[in-house]
Amino acid sequence: MKLFGPLYERALAWARHPKAPALLTGLSFAEAIVFPVMPEVMLAPMCLSQPKRGFWFASLSLAGSLAGAVVGYLLGHYAYELVRPLLDNLGWLERIDAQVASLREVTAFSPWKAFWLLVIAGFTPIPLKIFTWASGIVGVPMLPFLAAMFVGRGKRVFLVALAIRLGGERAEKALHRYIEPIGWSALVLLAALVGWLLLRGHGA
């Protein structure tokens, strides 16, 4: 977030806008394709200001993320070579290629192994767009892909809404404080899962 300070502050300002629910949905949609700021930045203060509507806000964010994930997938599947120079300029190419390699090997054994990889990936600090593009490039079947996006992103936004509903402002501060350790722990788990799936697949 420190790398994208102005965008982060803009997202916080949107959370106070009268049309915040629509802006949250739009941000969630864009973040799954290209936008660098996670929707939780908006979702958390919105849940804090209206706790009883927190799960509705989380549902809107999830819907936007799913729609954006489909667009990111289709762009990766049909337009990857066309936009490859742009992705390189944005600094995403190396990370996308790394996820493509992992997904390609895992999907070769079973599409539903890709599902578990993507579910855990949803809780890592790697932006969602990296996985939507990579899934499209590989051609992960749409059903496992959408199921993984639903579970992976859903657990994040509903956890934010639930935590703030139960803990209020203290919970919001704790989420901001511990999101990096949680994210990196999930990343280690993701790497372990990839290694296990590949070893199991080769041994089958």
Side-chain angles (χ1 to χ4, degrees), residues 57-68:
F57 295 149
S59 298
L60 291 176
S61 180
L62 178 58
S65 291
L66 289 175

Side-chain angles (χ1 to χ4, degrees), residues 15-16 21 26 33 73-74 87 103 111 143 179 197:
R16 298 186 291 272
I33 306 168
Y73 179 100
L74 293 175
L87 296 176
L103 281 169
L143 182 58
I179 192 64
L197 290 174

Side-chain angles (χ1 to χ4, degrees), residues 1-12 31 34-38 41 89-92 95 125 127 129 180:
M1 291 185 291
K2 292 179 180 178
L3 295 175
F4 305 102
L7 291 174
Y8 178 78
E9 294 300 326
R10 177 65 60 87
L12 286 175
E31 189 266 341
V34 67
F35 200 70
V37 177
M38 296 183 298
V41 172
N89 288 335
L90 291 171
W92 299 349
R95 287 185 292 178
K129 63 191 73 61
E180 286 298 321

